[in-house]
Amino acid sequence: MAAQASWAVNDLPGGPAVNQVNLHPPVTQIAEWQMGLHNMMLWLCTAIFVAVFGVMFYSIFKHRKSRGAKSANFHESVSVEIAWTVVPFLIVIAMALPATKVVVAMKDTTNADLTIKATGYQWKWGYDYLKGEGEGIAFLSTLDPAQRAMSDSGKPEQVDNYLLKVDNPLVVPVGKKVRIITTANDVIHAWMVPAFGVKQDAIPGFVRDTWFRAEKEGDYYGQCAELCGKEHAYMPIHVKVLSHADYAAWVDTKKKEMAAKADDPNKVWDLAGLMARGEKVYNANCAACHRADGKGAGPIKALDGSALVLNDPQKQIEILLKGAGNGAMPAWRQLNDTELAAVMTYTKNSWSNQTGKVIQPAEFAAARAK
């Protein structure tokens, strides 16, 4: 009974299935072509396997020494030479033509209805809507904190979307061509959603692109597909495909939310306000490495009692904006000045670090301008 209970999860629509042995059910034409290509190659390789090993085992059985078979003595055969040259060539052509068609289609990112930049961070995704309906929307997508807590406990609950739930899914309209531009802030990541037939590396300093057109509404899941560090398993992708009307409503709501959350970098905050804001920023972005108690772990330096945090605000500002340790500590320029000021103030006044010091957003704004 205990063994059965450990498998008490169901297939996740748009995501992995229990005991899955095939590709994800396709929801884009590219994914359908990939499925067809996969099946064709599988049957073709199976036929070759059966033919080659069938002839081999038949020959071994039929011409074995115990039956008195005598080995033939011959040298060269023009017919055989032609056959084993032409037949493999035809097989390769049969494989290459449909594969080339699919690869060319995968790379055709022209005439997109919507263009979104996906930036990989250790360990989350940043989405910027660059062109099309929703232009100007930007947000970070991070693993849901409750699922992180389940993983840390060592006894996760039996949920179908374990380590796939995010706080802010990517939202796109059904039936529209969506171009995804990928890059990264620190190390190599990869944006992959199997149901869309999409996998594109996100490389620091480079811009790559891919595309999809989801033909069915729903929720679809993927993960970073490049080993990007110790939190690699906590970097899921969730794409929500909505109807045109629902997508338009989401765009309107999201823009209103962004306007309401817009921070004035010249605002002067008090300690209590920055601490409340900073705690949320820290838990969402910093606690994964530095831990909720600020003690760090292994090579990750502790913030609790840190001389730099206690005594060197300019150096801490520089590290938050530029990173340190050749990427071991990533840069956090994607956070705005208020968020950075809040999280820095939080580290200076949490745990045993009761400094009473307040960092204002204007200090980060000035540092960015240098």
Side-chain angles (χ1 to χ4, degrees):
M1 293 297 292
Q4 291 179 350
S6 67
W7 292 95
V9 294
N10 306 300
D11 295 349
L12 179 64
V18 177
N19 298 325
Q20 181 174 342
V21 295
N22 206 346
L23 303 179
H24 285 53
V27 293
T28 67
Q29 188 176 55
I30 290 293
E32 288 181 1
W33 287 347
Q34 290 174 351
M35 177 75 83
L37 194 62
H38 164 77
N39 292 337
M40 184 199 77
M41 296 293 185
L42 177 63
W43 285 114
L44 189 56
C45 291
T46 300
I48 294 171
F49 175 87
V50 171
V52 171
F53 281 90
V55 171
M56 184 182 74
F57 285 116
Y58 171 80
S59 300
I60 292 172
F61 177 79
K62 188 70 174 178
H63 304 100
R64 63 190 186 277
K65 185 177 180 180
S66 61
R67 295 192 59 177
K70 301 293 184 181
S71 58
N73 185 13
F74 62 89
H75 183 66
E76 296 182 359
S77 170
V78 175
S79 299
V80 171
E81 294 282 353
I82 292 175
W84 71 29
T85 300
V86 172
V87 172
F89 177 77
L90 294 176
I91 292 173
V92 169
I93 294 299
M95 291 180 169
L97 288 178
T100 301
K101 174 187 174 182
V102 175
V103 170
V104 170
M106 290 168 61
K107 294 299 180 183
D108 181 13
T109 60
T110 59
N111 301 318
D113 300 299
L114 192 63
T115 299
I116 301 171
K117 182 175 74 171
T119 304
Y121 300 98
Q122 289 178 310
W123 289 268
K124 55 179 63 64
W125 290 98
Y127 296 113
D128 295 273
Y129 289 63
L130 303 180
K131 184 180 178 182
E133 188 176 7
E135 181 176 340
I137 291 175
F139 55 87
L140 292 173
S141 180
T142 307
L143 178 70
D144 184 84
Q147 298 221 346
R148 159 76 65 171
M150 281 195 291
S151 177
D152 291 344
S153 72
K155 297 179 180 179
E157 297 178 15
Q158 297 167 17
V159 293
D160 300 340
N161 63 347
Y162 180 56
L163 297 185
L164 291 174
K165 184 178 180 182
V166 301
D167 53 0
N168 294 305
L170 178 65
V171 181
V172 298
V174 68
K176 296 292 185 179
K177 185 172 183 177
V178 180
R179 181 187 180 206
I180 300 292
I181 298 175
T182 63
T183 188
N185 185 60
D186 32 54
V187 299
I188 298 177
H189 301 278
W191 200 83
M192 179 185 74
V193 180
F196 296 165
V198 168
K199 177 184 178 293
Q200 183 63 67
D201 283 354
I203 304 172
F206 291 84
V207 174
R208 315 288 296 279
D209 66 350
T210 184
W211 70 278
F212 65 87
R213 181 186 283 111
E215 299 174 353
K216 182 179 178 182
E217 296 175 34
D219 295 280
Y220 303 97
Y221 300 88
Q223 290 174 305
C224 175
E226 290 289 349
L227 189 58
C228 58
K230 73 181 187 67
E231 303 291 320
H232 169 66
Y234 304 115
M235 198 172 170
I237 299 163
H238 176 188
V239 182
K240 186 179 287 291
V241 180
L242 302 179
S243 67
H244 297 167
D246 288 343
Y247 178 73
W250 176 84
V251 168
D252 183 62
T253 301
K254 197 69 177 177
K255 287 190 173 182
K256 289 179 180 178
E257 288 179 1
M258 291 177 62
K261 290 181 179 179
D263 292 309
D264 180 2
N266 297 312
K267 177 181 177 180
V268 177
W269 292 68
D270 60 16
L271 176 60
L274 285 174
M275 286 293 289
R277 181 76 174 272
E279 183 178 14
K280 295 179 180 178
V281 177
Y282 183 87
N283 289 333
N285 301 285
C286 313
C289 293
H290 294 288
R291 292 176 35 178
D293 59 7
K295 297 296 185 182
I300 304 299
K301 295 182 179 180
L303 301 180
D304 185 15
S306 165
L308 185 147
V309 174
L310 293 172
N311 304 312
D312 197 344
Q314 292 305 314
K315 183 63 176 179
Q316 190 176 2
I317 289 174
E318 181 182 350
I319 289 175
L320 285 170
L321 288 175
K322 299 180 180 180
N326 293 321
M329 166 66 185
W332 289 99
R333 297 182 71 91
Q334 70 271 22
L335 299 179
N336 67 32
D337 296 330
T338 300
E339 291 170 322
L340 289 171
V343 75
M344 185 169 165
T345 300
Y346 177 77
T347 64
K348 288 183 175 297
N349 295 279
S350 296
W351 319 299
S352 67
N353 299 347
Q354 301 300 317
T355 66
K357 296 178 180 178
V358 175
I359 306 300
Q360 295 296 340
E363 296 180 59
F364 275 94
R368 286 184 198 265
K370 290 181 180 179

